[in-house]
């Protein structure tokens, strides 16, 4: 074998190995990320409790049901106190509702509460079908997942505001944000991180938990991911400090659109609640 032929064969081997890894391994190689979540005014009885964020599950043809069910089991084993799902429960297709009926009864619940918000994909094609979102909500709520659509709920003194989806044009933050008592603990859920840059936050200070980006799904080492569905391209994944004493956490999500991930493993986040 000539040197040139050897190098070409070796390069082809590396490329096909990386392709196989990107397609077969990393999309299902879940990372459980453990972090502290410092919340101002957190009642003492919630200090040390856990809140699990699961995002962008994308039940649909391209995400393997067995992978999702094993992810749900791993979360249940963490025995979380609160579970929040930050949107994109489904990737809509003709059999979506049957798949939801099969998969979501196994969704892990929090000991105290389980909340969810909708993402753009929950509104079906072009994010333009509120009737699909309604059907998703009607299937999830009887399973014990309370879907917050521009609403606030309170659990043991912690206010949780769940905002509806921005791209689907159902994002109506003013009323729920005005309802939050700024003297007490609060967390806001908003699927699309671009929403943090809108002039709508009514003086809210604290954490905003998001998803939507999937971390870009593929990221060259030392460079930002090239494909991100946000206007503000800072918002990849992880923690960001924002103006107005707000902080943002973007989950890399559990599922995917195309089944490829490279250097952006899927994520479930378990936060330990702490008094700030
Ligand atoms: Fe998504």
């Amino acid at each position: 074998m000539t040197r040139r032929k050897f190098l070409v064969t070796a390069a082809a081997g590396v490329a096909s190995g990386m392709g196989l890894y990107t397609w077969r391994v990393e999309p299902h190689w879940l990372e459980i990320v453990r972090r502290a979540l410092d919340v101002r005014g957190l009642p003492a009885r919630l200090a040390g409790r856990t809140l699990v964020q699961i995002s962008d599950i994308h039940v649909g043809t391209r995400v393997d049901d067995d992978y999702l069910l094993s992810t749900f089991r791993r979360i249940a084993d963490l025995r979380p106190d609160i579970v929040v799902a930050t949107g994109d429960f489904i990737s809509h297709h003709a059999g979506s509702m049957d798949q939801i009926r099969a998969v979501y009864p196994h969704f892990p619940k929090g000991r105290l509460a389980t909340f969810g918000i909708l993402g753009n994909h929950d509104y079906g094609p072009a994010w333009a079908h509120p009737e699909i979102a309604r059907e998703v909500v009607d299937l999830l709520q009887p399973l014990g997942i309370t879907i917050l659509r521009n609403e606030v709920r309170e659990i043991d003194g912690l206010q949780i505001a769940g905002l509806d989806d921005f791209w689907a044009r159902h994002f109506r933050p003013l009323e729920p944000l005005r309802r939050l008592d700024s003297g007490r603990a609060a967390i806001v859920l908003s699927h699309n991180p671009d929403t943090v840059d809108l002039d709508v936050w009514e003086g809210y200070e604290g954490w905003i938990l998001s998803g939507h980006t999937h971390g870009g799904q593929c990221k060259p080492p030392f460079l930002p991911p090239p494909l991100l569905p946000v206007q503000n391209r800072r918002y990849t994944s992880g923690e960001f400090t924002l103006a107005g004493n707000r902080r943002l956490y973007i989950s890399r999500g559990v599922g995917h659109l195309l089944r490829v991930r490279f250097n952006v493993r899927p994520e479930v986040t378990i936060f330990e609640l702490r008094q700030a």
Side-chain angles (χ1 to χ4, degrees):
M1 186 184 280
T2 64
R3 178 182 159 80
R4 183 185 153 79
K5 197 167 174 187
F6 170 77
L7 288 174
V8 167
T9 308
V14 169
S16 77
M18 278 175 66
L20 213 58
Y21 169 82
T22 302
W23 173 45
R24 298 295 298 183
V25 178
E26 193 170 306
H28 294 163
W29 188 16
L30 184 80
E31 181 182 8
I32 306 273
V33 175
R34 291 177 180 274
R35 302 180 60 96
L37 199 73
D38 296 333
V39 180
R40 206 165 38 89
L42 188 77
R45 62 184 169 276
L46 286 181
R49 299 272 191 169
T50 55
L51 179 149
V52 160
Q53 182 190 6
I54 177 168
S55 199
D56 297 84
I57 299 163
H58 283 283
V59 165
T61 50
R62 293 195 175 109
V63 182
D64 188 77
D65 285 356
D66 288 340
Y67 157 68
L68 292 178
L69 293 173
S70 85
T71 297
F72 290 174
R73 276 194 298 274
R74 285 182 69 182
I75 298 170
D77 288 345
L78 297 170
R79 301 190 161 278
D81 294 300
I82 300 170
V83 172
V84 297
T86 43
D88 283 0
F89 286 94
I90 64 164
S91 285
H92 184 259
H93 65 101
S96 288
M97 297 306 160
D98 290 340
Q99 232 172 325
I100 287 191
R101 275 187 208 97
V103 171
Y104 278 107
H106 304 279
F107 188 82
K109 309 298 179 330
R111 283 192 281 210
L112 300 175
T114 306
F115 295 115
I117 55 169
L118 297 178
N120 50 303
H121 281 270
D122 299 315
Y123 282 86
W127 340 127
H129 295 265
E131 75 282 4
I132 290 174
R134 184 76 254 162
E135 215 176 334
V136 171
V137 172
D138 287 348
L139 280 165
L140 294 176
Q141 298 232 101
L143 299 173
I145 308 166
T146 302
I147 305 296
L148 303 178
R149 305 185 78 178
N150 304 310
E151 291 169 81
V152 178
R153 289 283 199 287
E154 187 163 329
I155 188 75
D156 273 5
L158 172 64
Q159 307 166 93
I160 298 188
L163 306 181
D164 210 319
D165 185 61
F166 180 50
W167 279 5
R169 299 164 190 256
H170 289 265
F171 181 71
R172 312 258 188 280
L174 294 183
E175 201 272 327
L177 292 177
R178 280 176 188 158
R179 270 194 58 197
L180 291 178
D181 178 350
S182 61
R184 295 189 297 118
I187 293 173
V188 175
L189 314 176
S190 183
H191 178 67
N192 188 325
D194 271 335
T195 55
V196 305
D197 290 341
L198 302 173
D199 185 18
V200 295
W201 288 87
E202 296 288 306
Y204 171 72
E205 298 181 7
W207 281 100
I208 301 155
L209 305 184
S210 287
H212 183 63
T213 64
H214 306 182
Q217 287 196 202
C218 293
K219 179 177 134 33
F222 312 114
L223 291 171
L227 296 174
L228 274 180
V230 278
Q231 283 211 316
N232 189 334
R233 300 185 65 78
R234 275 178 73 211
Y235 299 148
T236 49
S237 62
E239 180 181 337
F240 298 83
T241 299
L242 306 172
N245 282 333
R246 293 170 304 147
R247 289 161 94 183
L248 169 67
Y249 190 80
I250 306 172
S251 167
R252 300 190 302 267
V254 165
H256 42 261
L257 295 175
L258 288 177
R259 182 170 154 168
V260 288
R261 275 190 187 261
F262 182 78
N263 200 23
V264 187
R265 284 171 62 189
E267 165 182 8
V268 163
T269 326
I270 177 160
F271 295 101
E272 182 190 335
L273 297 172
R274 295 196 314 202
Q275 292 176 311

